[in-house]
């Protein structure tokens, strides 16, 4: 008690010593809300990953060279060994205490080839030709053919402008000559009599002059679509419908649908609208003005995609919107001449008046896309687009997670060119029939080695590689067909209150008991680069804490050393009346701890008050690309008791270290020397 009283009296008698407390308080003011923010961001990312398909844990084959990654990074897909008997593994996992749902998954990359505008017009003419003959059909066909003819004449004019650059290419000259024949009157007279051969000529010799089209990359998750939608609460259907159980199908991520399949002019208008809502101005932002210019530069491409009926309707709508008549291209150019004063009104008019007459999307729910996995050998897989979806609250059209699409497991296996067990059995039978196997070799469930499965009628062997016939996939599949194939990984959703570490231990125990090749990773590891970004934030906070701690340590040490020199006489008096050196050392050390403790406590309280005042009802996150990392459109930093406690203990520890040298030196002065200095 005597030491405590002496410490309190010394602190109160020397206001200069309060500098140490102020330093500790300043560091605590910064670190307390910083720790709460980083912890809240980490928690937001955890919720985002778990609730958008990753689950609390990921299960995969223990013999894999890689680990599951839900978002494919620059290194590509993870190298995973398939779980061949997945139904048995899933049944075992469902028996584990704490597991609520098991969702099979397969991460992959698909490619979709989009033809150019001439391909689209040729397809439109073919579609009308396939209709039963009638007066209405003949009238529509005449309009489509007239529109196709005008488009080809425009292509001929464009090619005339660039013929000089490609004059030396023989193939180009042949295509150019074919184009000149096609735009002649004789060709269109023959077209009326024999339209299909004429369309073939245009498609084979002229369509490529309009451009090669475009290949779109599409990240996808192969899964049980119905189970996936029910297991993850962020899933939100936006258009179309979910595929009925047992139906093959594709659910496009809304961001992918907007970025890759929407009319580019409309998508840029959406980007401009979002930027202006965030406070940007066209007059001040050169990048936004470039977007406006690009829209005007792409008007010829838009006009080439319009048929006669749409063009006429669009021209009338533009005349009403602008208040005067004119040619379609001139009206469009005037409408798309945008500035800060007219953007909002014209953006609303675009969707209210113009969009109904435009080919706003290249594909609609109910139509079919042809997918191909560019990383695997295999054929194109046609799959029906049932609708679009997004993960609610995790960003919009610029969010990476919303560019991921969903496809059924049967289609995903064919995209990966991975055979089912039935196909493997058929391959073994063919090997035996063709005499390609080793005589007397025992049957095995191991993979066969070189095996290519194609959509072909004959079965043939060449160079030791077996080519197995596979029928084109039907639109539906049975439960047995889905269970017959392998699965690369599965997401584990835990019951409320379940501890991931305990469930992981139970899974490992189960795998050992039942000889199952199962391994697990947490959501952090499966999150890949997303978790890495959050980890970088934690590292930066740690570095900031080290810098602040070092700053407090140096200044506190210097301040306390100066105070210790001033107290040499006082220390000598205390030593002369019987106080031991140890007691003097403890008194000086307690002085530093008191200053650091009170200062850091007041600083933590001030930091908490500042955080509460600044945050209020949460921090609005307008940048859609950040919403995934922050757990939604609003960040709610939650200050917990341990945040403040950790900061206070940390600052007290720093000040304690700063007090050691001054306390040691101050207590080391001999009483005689100290008394003489006091007399001086």
């Amino acid at each position: 008690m005597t030491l405590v009283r002496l410490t309190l009296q010394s602190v109160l008698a020397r206001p200069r010593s309060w500098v140490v407390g102020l330093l500790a308080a300043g560091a605590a003011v910064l670190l307390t809300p910083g720790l709460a923010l980083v912890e809240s961001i980490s928690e937001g990312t955890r919720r985002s990953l778990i609730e958008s398909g990753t689950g609390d844990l990921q299960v995969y084959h223990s013999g894999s060279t890689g680990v599951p990654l839900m978002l494919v990074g620059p290194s590509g897909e993870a190298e995973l060994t398939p779980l061949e008997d997945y139904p048995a593994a899933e049944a075992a996992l469902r028996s584990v205490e704490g597991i609520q749902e098991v969702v099979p998954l397969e991460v992959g990359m698909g490619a979709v080839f989009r033809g150019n505008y001439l391909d689209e017009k040729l397809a439109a003419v073919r579609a009308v030709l396939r209709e039963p003959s009638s007066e209405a059909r003949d009238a529509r066909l005449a309009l489509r053919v007239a529109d196709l003819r005008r488009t080809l004449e425009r292509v001929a004019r464009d090619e005339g402008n660039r013929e000089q650059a490609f004059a030396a290419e023989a193939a180009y000259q042949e295509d150019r000559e074919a184009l000149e024949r096609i735009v002649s009157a004789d060709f269109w007279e023959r077209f009326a009599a024999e339209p299909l051969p004429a369309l073939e000529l245009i498609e084979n010799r002229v369509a490529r002059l309009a451009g090669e089209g475009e290949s779109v990359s599409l990240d996808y998750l192969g899964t049980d679509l119905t189970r996936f939608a029910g297991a993850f609460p962020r899933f939100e259907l936006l258009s179309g419908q979910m595929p009925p159980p047992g139906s093959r199908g594709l659910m496009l991520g809304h961001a992918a649908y907007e970025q890759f399949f929407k009319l580019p002019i409309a998508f840029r208008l959406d980007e401009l609208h979002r930027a202006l809502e965030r406070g940007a101005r066209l007059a001040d932002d050169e990048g936004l003005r470039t977007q406006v210019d690009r829209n005007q530069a792409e008007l010829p491409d838009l006009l080439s995609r319009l048929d006669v009926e749409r063009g006429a309707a669009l021209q009338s709508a533009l005349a009403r919107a602008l208040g005067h008549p004119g040619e379609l291209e001139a009206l469009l150019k005037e409408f798309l001449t945008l500035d800060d004063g007219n953007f909002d009104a014209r953006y609303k008019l675009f969707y209210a008046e113009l969009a109904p007459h435009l080919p706003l999307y290249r594909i609609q729910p109910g139509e079919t896309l042809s997918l191909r996995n560019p990383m695997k050998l295999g054929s194109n897989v046609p799959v029906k687009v049932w609708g679009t979806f997004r993960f609610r609250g995790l960003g919009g059209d610029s969010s990476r997670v919303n560019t991921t699409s969903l496809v059924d497991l049967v289609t995903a296996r064919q995209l990966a060119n991975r055979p089912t067990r039935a196909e493997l059995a058929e391959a073994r039978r063919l090997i035996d029939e063709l005499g390609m196997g080793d005589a007397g070799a025992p049957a095995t469930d191991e993979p066969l080695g070189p095996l290519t499965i194609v959509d072909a009628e004959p079965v043939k062997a060449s160079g030791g590689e077996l080519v197995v016939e596979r029928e084109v996939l039907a639109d539906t599949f049975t439960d047995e067909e889905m269970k017959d194939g392998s699965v690369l990984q599965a997401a584990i959703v835990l019951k409320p209150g379940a501890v991931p570490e305990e469930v992981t231990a139970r899974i490992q125990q189960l795998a050992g008991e039942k000889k199952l090749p199962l391994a697990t990773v947490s959501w952090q590891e499966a999150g890949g680069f997303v978790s890495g970004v959050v980890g970088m934030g934690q590292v930066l906070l740690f570095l900031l804490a080290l810098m602040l701690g070092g700053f407090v340590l140096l200044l506190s040490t210097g301040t306390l050393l100066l105070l210790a020199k001033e107290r040499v006489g006082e220390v000598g008096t205390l030593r002369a009346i019987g106080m031991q050196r140890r007691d003097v050392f403890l008194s000086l050390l307690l002085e530093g701890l008191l200053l650091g403790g009170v200062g850091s406590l007041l600083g933590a309280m001030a930091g908490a008050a500042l955080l509460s005042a600044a945050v209020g009802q949460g921090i609005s996150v307008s940048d859609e690309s950040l919403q995934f990392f922050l757990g939604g459109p609003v960040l709610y930093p939650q200050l917990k008791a341990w945040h403040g406690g950790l900061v206070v203990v940390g600052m007290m520890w720093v000040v304690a270290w700063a007090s050691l040298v001054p306390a040691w030196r101050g207590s080391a002065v001999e009483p005689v020397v100290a008394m003489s200095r006091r007399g001086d």
Side-chain angles (χ1 to χ4, degrees):
M1 291 302 297
T2 302
L3 288 176
V4 172
R5 286 199 298 270
L6 285 172
T7 301
L8 287 173
Q9 290 173 2
S10 178
V11 169
L12 294 174
R14 291 177 174 80
R16 281 191 298 172
S17 66
W18 299 353
V19 172
V20 176
L22 290 175
L23 289 171
V29 167
L30 295 176
L31 291 177
T32 302
L35 185 59
L37 283 171
V38 170
E39 179 71 14
S40 300
I41 292 171
S42 178
E43 175 63 19
T45 305
R46 185 191 72 84
R47 291 197 313 271
S48 296
L49 282 168
I50 290 175
E51 296 174 2
S52 63
T54 303
D56 298 274
L57 301 170
Q58 288 272 317
V59 175
Y60 65 107
H61 197 291
S62 57
S64 301
T65 57
V67 298
L69 294 175
M70 289 300 292
L71 295 176
V72 179
S75 59
E77 303 172 20
E79 292 294 331
L80 300 179
T81 301
L83 293 165
E84 297 296 341
D85 192 4
Y86 174 74
E90 181 180 312
L93 288 169
R94 288 184 177 278
S95 68
V96 175
E97 181 185 353
I99 291 182
Q100 178 173 297
E101 183 61 275
V102 183
V103 183
L105 294 174
E106 178 154 343
V107 179
M109 296 176 61
V112 180
F113 181 78
R114 302 188 312 197
N116 58 41
Y117 62 87
L118 195 51
D119 293 323
E120 295 174 0
K121 290 185 180 292
L122 291 170
V125 174
R126 288 182 186 276
V128 177
L129 281 171
R130 285 194 291 267
E131 296 178 7
S133 181
S134 66
E135 290 186 6
R137 175 261 196 186
D138 293 342
R140 282 199 308 277
L141 179 61
L143 289 173
R144 297 285 186 186
V145 170
D147 182 49
L148 177 62
R149 184 174 181 178
R150 282 193 295 272
T151 300
L152 288 167
E153 290 171 352
R154 187 182 300 113
V155 171
R157 288 196 301 271
D158 293 341
E159 291 305 309
N161 294 333
R162 70 187 191 119
E163 182 177 8
Q164 189 98 15
F166 298 92
E169 298 182 11
Y172 174 79
Q173 287 299 329
E174 293 176 2
D175 291 344
R176 175 66 184 168
E177 291 171 3
L179 178 59
E180 291 175 354
R181 293 197 305 271
I182 285 171
V183 296
S184 66
D186 292 342
F187 176 85
W188 293 102
E189 290 176 2
R190 294 195 301 273
F191 186 98
E194 297 181 334
L196 290 177
L199 287 174
E200 289 291 333
L201 177 62
I202 297 171
E203 190 169 49
N204 295 333
R205 302 303 302 274
V206 176
R208 59 185 177 182
L209 292 176
E212 292 297 331
E214 185 179 3
S215 180
V216 174
S217 295
L218 206 63
D219 294 337
Y220 66 82
L221 284 178
T223 186
D224 183 323
L225 297 174
T226 303
R227 192 184 299 176
F228 185 96
F232 299 107
R234 297 274 189 175
F235 181 92
E236 181 181 19
L237 182 68
L238 291 182
S239 66
Q241 66 178 79
M242 292 294 296
S247 297
R248 290 180 56 241
L250 174 70
M251 297 295 295
L252 284 171
H254 186 253
Y257 190 53
E258 293 290 310
Q259 291 178 27
F260 304 140
F261 299 98
K262 193 171 189 177
L263 186 70
I265 288 177
F267 181 67
R268 289 193 198 98
L269 286 175
D270 294 339
E271 288 188 313
L272 289 168
H273 178 65
R274 286 191 291 268
L276 295 182
E277 279 191 329
R278 292 194 296 266
R281 286 173 50 83
L282 290 172
D284 303 329
D285 194 318
E286 185 177 351
L288 297 182
R289 294 197 301 273
T290 300
Q291 295 283 66
V292 174
D293 295 339
R294 286 186 64 187
N295 270 356
Q296 292 190 347
E298 289 193 7
L299 284 179
D301 181 70
L302 171 61
L303 293 172
S304 66
R305 295 180 185 275
L306 295 175
D307 55 34
V308 177
E309 298 99 324
R310 281 182 168 178
L314 182 61
Q315 187 173 2
S316 299
L318 281 166
R320 290 194 303 272
L322 296 173
H324 62 82
E327 294 295 324
L328 178 57
E329 185 171 2
L331 291 173
L332 272 172
K333 187 172 183 179
E334 180 182 349
F335 184 86
L336 293 175
T337 302
L338 303 171
D339 55 40
D340 293 304
N342 64 18
F343 181 85
D344 288 339
R346 291 194 178 177
Y347 182 77
K348 293 176 182 177
L349 279 172
F350 178 82
Y351 280 102
E353 301 291 338
L354 307 188
H357 310 299
L358 293 171
L360 203 57
Y361 293 95
R362 291 174 180 262
I363 193 165
Q364 299 288 340
E367 298 177 356
T368 298
L369 279 178
S370 184
L371 288 177
R372 185 184 186 91
N373 191 330
M375 310 300 294
K376 307 287 184 181
L377 293 176
S379 57
N380 291 329
V381 180
V383 58
K384 180 179 178 180
V385 177
W386 285 89
T388 64
F389 78 100
R390 71 179 172 195
F391 293 107
R392 183 173 50 251
L394 299 185
D397 302 339
S398 57
S399 171
R400 171 69 185 275
V401 71
N402 283 334
T403 62
T404 302
S405 300
L406 300 178
V407 70
D408 65 279
L409 274 176
V410 175
T411 302
R413 290 180 191 129
Q414 190 172 25
L415 284 168
N417 199 33
R418 197 168 67 250
T420 64
R421 283 177 289 178
E423 289 167 339
L424 285 173
E426 176 67 9
R428 293 189 183 95
R429 184 186 67 79
L430 291 171
I431 287 174
D432 294 338
E433 289 183 359
L434 295 171
M436 297 173 60
D438 295 333
T444 176
D445 290 333
E446 293 298 319
L448 291 174
L451 177 65
T452 299
I453 299 181
V454 299
D455 301 324
E457 294 186 359
V459 178
K460 54 187 178 181
S462 172
E465 178 174 324
L466 183 66
V467 181
V468 182
E469 175 185 356
R470 168 186 273 167
E471 294 182 1
V472 176
L473 288 178
D475 291 335
T476 59
F477 54 84
T478 64
D479 190 51
E480 289 74 18
E481 287 175 317
M482 187 173 72
K483 292 180 178 179
D484 186 50
S486 58
V487 171
L488 291 184
Q489 63 202 78
I492 304 294
V493 180
L494 301 183
K495 294 179 180 178
V499 180
E501 292 77 12
E502 295 177 359
V503 175
T504 298
R506 296 186 194 114
I507 292 174
Q508 295 304 319
Q509 181 181 359
L510 175 73
E513 292 173 354
K514 296 194 173 184
K515 309 297 183 187
L516 295 173
L518 298 179
T520 61
V521 293
S522 65
W523 65 268
Q524 293 101 323
E525 295 171 275
F529 75 92
V530 173
S531 301
V533 171
V534 177
M536 285 297 295
Q538 295 171 335
V539 170
L540 289 175
L541 178 66
F542 179 71
L543 292 176
L544 174 63
L546 285 180
M547 292 173 60
L548 287 174
F551 180 75
V552 172
L553 178 67
L554 291 175
L555 289 185
S556 297
T557 301
T559 302
L560 292 173
L561 278 172
L562 289 174
L563 292 173
K565 287 185 68 175
E566 293 177 359
R567 297 176 60 186
V568 168
E570 178 186 340
V571 169
T573 303
L574 293 173
R575 292 289 305 276
I577 63 175
M579 180 175 284
Q580 300 297 316
R581 178 181 177 182
R582 180 190 61 185
D583 297 330
V584 174
F585 175 81
L586 289 176
S587 177
L588 295 176
L589 186 61
L590 284 174
E591 185 175 332
L593 288 174
L594 178 62
L595 290 167
V598 173
S600 58
L601 180 61
L602 293 175
M605 294 171 62
L610 287 174
L611 180 66
S612 177
V615 170
Q617 299 300 314
I619 301 173
S620 179
V621 184
S622 58
D623 190 334
E624 294 179 341
S625 61
L626 292 177
Q627 290 179 6
F628 183 84
F629 295 97
L630 305 181
V634 180
L635 176 65
Y636 298 98
Q638 299 293 323
L639 184 64
K640 300 177 182 178
W642 70 267
H643 294 152
L646 181 62
V647 170
V648 171
V649 171
M651 284 297 101
M652 287 181 66
W653 183 83
V654 169
V655 176
W657 273 96
S659 304
L660 285 176
V661 173
W664 178 262
R665 289 190 177 182
S667 63
V669 180
E670 293 296 330
V672 175
V673 176
M675 291 292 291
S676 65
R677 289 190 181 180
R678 177 161 187 156
D680 294 340

